[in-house]
Amino acid sequence: MSALFEPFTLRSLTFPNRIWMAPMCQYSAEDSGPGTGVPNDWHFSHYTSRAAGGTGLILVEATAVSPEGRISPADLGIWNETQTDAFRRIAAFLKEQGTVPGIQIAHAGRKASTDRPWLGGAPVGPEAGGWQPVAPSPLPFMDGHPIPDELTTEQIQEIVGQFADAARRALAAGFEVVEVHGAHGYLIGEFLSPHSNHRTDAYGGSYENRTRFALEVVDAVRAVWPDELPLFFRISATDWLTENTDDDRTGWTGDDTVRFAEDLRSHGVDLLDVSSGGNAARVRIPTGPGYQVPFAEAVKARTGLPTAAVGEITEPQQAEKIIDEGRADAVLLGRELLRNPYFARHAARELGGAVGSPRQYHRAA
């Protein structure tokens, strides 16, 4: 059998294949009234079409644990029961198709309150329906962005509780995987990196202090997430600062990620979703096919923690080779699944694998 189509088990949950859908914001929720942050017909169509296409796991996009945690006013949220109820329909349909339903829970930190990308992505101020961002330190993401409010220790603990509440709601909605978003320069990643965390209290300075908030979130989520279901963590393996030799800023590195993977495993994380970048503006990132796979490979090889690889994985044979060579345990596809919701079906035909087929599509099986 194709390695890409071998089932994969974490705790008591078995994924039918290793082709997974990465969380990708759609910026398509209502931004006012009772529909704020609630998944709608667009989200249902978007996610269920990839399930009908044979994707083994679908991770719903970054879903905010509080209104202030949204990247944009049009982001999804999971801080109330109206949102939870709306997610039930999506999670149930994914399971009906044999796809594992997962969700990424997140807080955008200093990168919150921005416009939709196709409208320019600029900061949205309170006068235009936005809000004041918060962060570990009063450092804007880049020129032209607001200076965020520095979180107090009491506010930090409140956000830890919001992550736990979001995980409870995710479970009630029917999701079987929850992923904590610690990547791409959002709040948890901001705490991890010395580039964005200049605190001098118990949440800043040393590696142990900078990772404290992330581990407190993981502990709080793991405490309410069933033992039989897996917990993922998404990380940016590097800020791409040390790789830019003419940049004297200090950031999070690949070695930090390997070290932190050991900590995450001891706190109950079952898989590391390894991406990169997003925390430091205007850095050079040497993109190319599979350019982030070595980060996932290093974590897996040096710690034994299962990993998922991301980053310009676009061809069935390319994905097959990553799994077959043991460089990662799964591949998370983003843009390729936007282009081709049926990637898994096409890959199965090319590689000799198999995916389930909706009864209504039996003539194409």
Side-chain angles (χ1 to χ4, degrees):
M1 178 183 290
S2 158
L4 198 57
F5 290 92
E6 290 180 0
F8 180 58
T9 299
L10 290 172
R11 297 191 182 239
S12 68
L13 185 64
T14 298
F15 303 85
N17 61 55
R18 317 295 183 97
I19 299 172
W20 298 352
M21 181 174 173
M24 293 174 283
C25 289
Q26 299 297 292
Y27 306 100
S28 296
E30 292 184 30
D31 59 5
S32 63
T36 299
V38 175
N40 53 38
D41 286 348
W42 172 261
H43 300 95
F44 184 83
S45 175
H46 172 64
Y47 290 113
T48 59
S49 62
R50 276 80 192 167
T55 308
L57 162 71
I58 289 176
L59 282 170
V60 169
E61 65 203 79
T63 303
V65 301
S66 69
E68 300 76 23
R70 291 172 293 166
I71 301 168
S72 83
D75 276 13
L76 293 178
I78 193 163
W79 65 80
N80 64 42
E81 297 312 309
T82 300
Q83 297 158 342
T84 306
D85 290 343
F87 276 120
R88 285 192 175 95
R89 182 181 177 219
I90 293 174
F93 190 94
L94 301 190
K95 283 193 275 191
E96 287 174 6
Q97 303 308 311
T99 296
V100 173
I103 187 170
Q104 183 186 75
I105 54 177
H107 192 298
R110 67 178 182 173
K111 295 175 77 173
S113 194
T114 57
D115 210 345
R116 292 172 170 90
W118 53 85
L119 297 177
V124 178
E127 72 286 349
W131 56 93
Q132 173 64 19
V134 297
S137 303
L139 304 169
F141 172 61
M142 62 187 300
D143 293 343
H145 282 234
I147 297 174
D149 289 342
E150 181 173 290
L151 289 164
T152 66
T153 54
E154 292 78 12
Q155 289 171 321
I156 291 171
Q157 289 307 304
E158 181 181 357
I159 294 172
V160 171
Q162 290 169 347
F163 271 93
D165 290 341
R168 288 191 192 95
R169 292 190 176 99
L171 182 65
F175 290 104
E176 296 177 317
V177 170
V178 66
E179 177 174 88
V180 173
H181 195 355
H184 301 156
Y186 299 120
L187 186 61
I188 292 176
E190 292 164 18
F191 271 91
L192 293 176
S193 174
H195 172 68
S196 46
N197 183 349
H198 292 187
R199 298 176 75 98
T200 58
D201 63 0
Y203 290 94
S206 68
Y207 165 87
E208 289 77 11
N209 284 357
R210 287 184 284 107
T211 60
R212 188 183 308 278
F213 173 59
L215 294 177
E216 287 181 350
V217 168
V218 166
D219 287 345
V221 170
R222 185 76 266 180
V224 302
W225 194 246
D227 288 342
E228 65 270 19
L229 294 178
L231 168 62
F232 291 8
F233 189 97
R234 186 166 226 197
I235 196 165
S236 282
T238 176
D239 287 339
W240 292 105
L241 288 173
T242 56
E243 289 80 358
N244 288 273
T245 56
D246 59 348
D247 196 323
D248 59 3
R249 293 176 289 174
T250 301
W252 184 261
T253 69
D255 287 340
D256 291 329
T257 293
V258 172
R259 179 180 179 184
F260 191 47
E262 293 276 19
D263 296 335
L264 290 170
R265 182 168 63 172
S266 69
H267 284 256
V269 168
D270 299 289
L271 180 140
L272 195 63
D273 171 0
V274 189
S275 187
S276 71
N279 191 44
R282 291 185 289 273
V283 295
R284 296 191 304 274
I285 299 177
T287 62
Y291 72 102
Q292 296 177 126
V293 174
F295 297 120
E297 181 179 16
V299 169
K300 180 175 169 61
R302 292 169 61 183
T303 73
L305 181 67
T307 63
V310 304
E312 295 195 31
I313 300 170
T314 60
E315 301 293 337
Q317 290 288 354
Q318 175 196 20
E320 172 78 6
K321 186 175 181 182
I322 292 167
I323 304 304
D324 188 52
E325 293 180 349
R327 303 182 72 193
D329 297 282
V331 291
L332 278 160
L333 305 187
R335 292 175 177 85
E336 187 59 28
L337 274 174
L338 297 182
R339 290 185 284 263
N340 180 6
Y342 299 95
F343 178 92
R345 296 196 176 284
H346 297 158
R349 175 171 292 184
E350 180 173 327
L351 299 172
V355 294
S357 180
R359 293 184 295 271
Q360 297 88 340
Y361 290 1
H362 70 280
R363 284 170 292 188

